[in-house]
Amino acid sequence: MKFEKKGGGKLTADKIAVKKVSEQVEERIKRMIQSGMFKEGEKLPSVRELCEMFEVGRSAVRDAMTTLKGKGILQVKQGEGAYIRAFDTESFFTTQLMLPDTKDIRELFQARKMIEPGLAGMAAEKRTVEDVCILESFLSQEVMANWEADYEFHMKIARITGNMILVKLMAFIAASTRKAMIDVHQHIQSRDEISNLVMEQHNRIFKSIQSSDATAAKENMISHLEFVEKVLVNNVLQS
């Protein structure tokens, strides 16, 4: 909130924004769904019934339903009404995509540090010969000079686990931090000693997955992410 003193010394502040009625209706409907009052596949009360329930006008209810439809929470069938959609990870991660600030980027990277070591350990236990060959293809200096290859190396590890919720969560984090991580990658590639160190870290992660050593895979991934985080914090987020 922004505070200012006017000429006479009076302290003023930005007005607190009041939520639109439609936004309040949207939140009420979401809470009712989350509480289990409405189940997946169940038909929502009609617009008229919702107007009476919330004591609001039809336009507020219609606007709220349009927003919930856009977020993938409701499915509107022409001539029938609105139904509660089953949870869809694809639409959830798409509609919740962030335009993060510095604090968000730090927290998203912290989430990576919590998730990726577990993925690496699981990948070491589940990998196939084909998985190992694909992972190895991302390890050359020429290939790793490309940010997309670095991204695909980490995403391939996630995909090996077969857990699509975690794969989509990783893709969501990567998409939300894309600009910052491209800057990190450019900084790494501009310095041979850092670039070589990251290559060694990727190789250690690869070898531990190749040898099905889940413990080493977790430890090597943690070390790698902690190093990249230092580059991110000291050279990208500070600028």
Side-chain angles (χ1 to χ4, degrees), residues 26 30 64-74 85 88 91-93 95-96:
E26 178 193 343
K30 284 196 291 188
M65 291 174 69
T66 298
T67 301
L68 291 168
K69 177 186 175 184
K71 291 182 176 180
I73 295 172
L74 294 182
R85 293 188 64 173
D88 178 5
S91 65
F92 173 79
F93 288 124
T95 57
Q96 300 297 322

Side-chain angles (χ1 to χ4, degrees), residues 166-192:
L166 291 175
V167 170
K168 289 172 182 176
L169 179 54
M170 279 292 298
F172 165 74
I173 293 172
S176 297
T177 58
R178 184 176 186 273
K179 173 63 170 63
M181 294 313 299
I182 288 176
D183 290 343
V184 167
H185 193 266
Q186 289 174 343
H187 179 82
I188 289 171
Q189 292 302 315
S190 69
R191 290 160 175 78
D192 288 343

Side-chain angles (χ1 to χ4, degrees), residues 87-204:
F87 178 71
D88 178 5
T89 55
E90 195 71 53
S91 65
F92 173 79
F93 288 124
T94 300
T95 57
Q96 300 297 322
L97 188 63
M98 298 181 191
L99 293 174
D101 58 19
T102 297
K103 179 175 178 291
D104 292 330
I105 292 171
R106 286 175 182 265
E107 292 181 354
L108 285 163
F109 203 88
Q110 287 171 359
R112 276 189 69 181
K113 286 168 61 182
M114 295 176 69
I115 296 165
E116 277 201 80
L119 290 174
M122 199 185 307
E125 295 170 347
K126 293 191 171 187
R127 102 290 184 280
T128 64
V129 173
E130 182 182 1
D131 291 328
V132 170
C133 290
I134 294 172
L135 267 184
E136 191 171 21
S137 70
F138 294 118
L139 293 178
S140 73
Q141 186 75 44
E142 294 76 18
V143 172
M144 286 305 296
N146 186 344
W147 175 81
E148 283 79 4
D150 189 0
Y151 164 80
E152 284 299 334
F153 176 77
H154 286 270
M155 287 304 302
K156 176 58 183 175
I157 291 172
R159 292 189 192 101
I160 291 172
T161 69
N163 187 317
M164 293 312 297
I165 295 289
L166 291 175
V167 170
K168 289 172 182 176
L169 179 54
M170 279 292 298
F172 165 74
I173 293 172
S176 297
T177 58
R178 184 176 186 273
K179 173 63 170 63
M181 294 313 299
I182 288 176
D183 290 343
V184 167
H185 193 266
Q186 289 174 343
H187 179 82
I188 289 171
Q189 292 302 315
S190 69
R191 290 160 175 78
D192 288 343
E193 71 281 5
I194 300 178
S195 177
N196 291 335
L197 185 53
V198 170
M199 284 292 300
E200 289 175 16
Q201 292 169 354
H202 276 199
N203 270 292
R204 284 197 290 270

